[in-house]
Amino acid sequence: MKPVISPGELIQLLKNKNLVIIDARAGGDAREKYQQQHLDKALFVDLETELAEKTDNPANGGRHPLPSPAKFALVLGKLGIHPGSHVVVYDDKNGANAAARFWWMLRAAGHEAVQVLDGGLQLALKEGYPASSSPEAAQAAPPYEFSEWQLPTAAISEVEKAVHDSAKLVIDVRDAYRYRGEQEPIDKIAGHIPGAKNIPFSENLDKQGKFLSPDLLKEKYTTALEGKTPEQLIVHCGSGVTACHTILSIAHAGFPIPVLYVGSWSEWSRTDRPIATGE
């Protein structure tokens, strides 16, 4: 199943009894905004409490460490997601935020029938998908059966080795000004992992906020990988969320899914490891 779906294609799926639509907006007011307006039938998922297991020390796992498989299995059951579900997830950041994270987590749970809505909430409303402010009730299912994450992740020690390994490539998908260390709006220290290459996730989108075509993405990442395979690639961002957008884009291009560094800059920058600035 292709990882990205258009609003028109989603509308054609509305009669599918196994369809589950997920609103994965993030931010302190995400639930309030969801209650004010969401796509009809969409269920809300919380990045901070359901797609992450936050700790008091981001130096150990970053700002959005993964929850245990058992906890995520309970979340999926609460949302009514079972092995036969066709899941479509969106956010209000063109799929660049928690929608991509949810896609990655569901794929890592072994579920392949999951897609991110191209253009997110805004494009769906513009193209006529019905909106709602009514409460939505899930048809609860048993906890989703999986015991371990099935997509590759890298620990901080592996990233530290990878930046010195010519056979590996570490990609930082944050905005260029954050990578260069000119400003850091979230984490305490600005800069980047020495040896990491900056390819901002925003470059996966066109001017309308839609994903580039698979052909354009394939051309882009064929060049960016510098002859390496996606399996040799480690992708990170600030806290392991928007990195999933680049991973999704690479999958949309038809490549295998690369490695995710979940802790990302929020973990690295809180340790005594070296920090680089500039290009």
Side-chain angles (χ1 to χ4, degrees), residues 22-43:
I22 301 295
D23 184 310
R25 276 177 281 190
D29 58 352
R31 188 178 294 273
E32 180 182 355
K33 287 184 176 179
Y34 165 82
Q35 292 170 342
Q36 292 171 352
Q37 185 185 55
H38 54 265
L39 298 187
D40 191 38
K41 309 302 182 186
L43 304 169

Side-chain angles (χ1 to χ4, degrees), residues 12-195:
Q12 295 299 314
L13 287 176
L14 290 179
K15 293 183 180 180
N16 182 344
K17 64 180 181 179
N18 288 320
L19 178 66
V20 180
I21 304 173
I22 301 295
D23 184 310
R25 276 177 281 190
D29 58 352
R31 188 178 294 273
E32 180 182 355
K33 287 184 176 179
Y34 165 82
Q35 292 170 342
Q36 292 171 352
Q37 185 185 55
H38 54 265
L39 298 187
D40 191 38
K41 309 302 182 186
L43 304 169
F44 180 76
V45 69
D46 192 311
L47 168 64
E48 306 296 329
T49 62
E50 295 177 313
L51 305 186
E53 189 169 354
K54 306 187 78 169
T55 68
D56 295 332
N57 184 17
N60 183 19
R63 287 185 279 107
H64 291 107
L66 290 171
S68 68
K71 289 187 176 180
F72 188 54
L74 290 173
V75 171
L76 295 179
K78 184 188 74 171
L79 295 169
I81 295 174
H82 54 80
S85 297
H86 184 156
V87 182
V88 175
V89 56
Y90 70 89
D91 58 35
D92 58 357
K93 300 291 188 298
N94 307 117
N97 201 263
R101 168 76 168 230
F102 189 89
W103 170 86
W104 185 94
M105 291 175 68
L106 200 46
R107 286 295 309 273
H111 192 96
E112 295 194 6
V114 54
Q115 297 174 290
V116 171
L117 185 60
D118 200 6
L121 173 68
Q122 295 88 338
L123 183 62
L125 295 175
K126 182 179 179 180
E127 295 197 1
Y129 190 98
S132 175
S133 59
S134 300
E136 307 286 357
Q139 295 183 346
Y144 198 101
E145 291 190 15
F146 83 107
S147 59
E148 60 184 19
W149 301 110
Q150 298 174 34
L151 291 181
T153 60
I156 192 169
S157 59
E158 295 174 86
V159 177
E160 190 171 23
K161 293 177 181 177
V163 292
H164 298 291
D165 185 348
S166 60
K168 303 284 187 179
L169 179 63
V170 177
I171 289 182
D172 182 333
V173 310
R174 295 175 301 155
D175 291 327
Y177 75 92
R178 292 180 69 187
Y179 172 85
R180 293 192 296 263
E182 296 169 1
Q183 184 181 357
E184 178 47 59
I186 304 174
D187 293 307
K188 292 183 177 181
I189 300 176
H192 63 267
I193 299 172

Side-chain angles (χ1 to χ4, degrees), residues 250-262:
I250 290 171
H252 192 38
F255 292 114
I257 290 175
V259 181
L260 170 65
Y261 171 30
V262 180

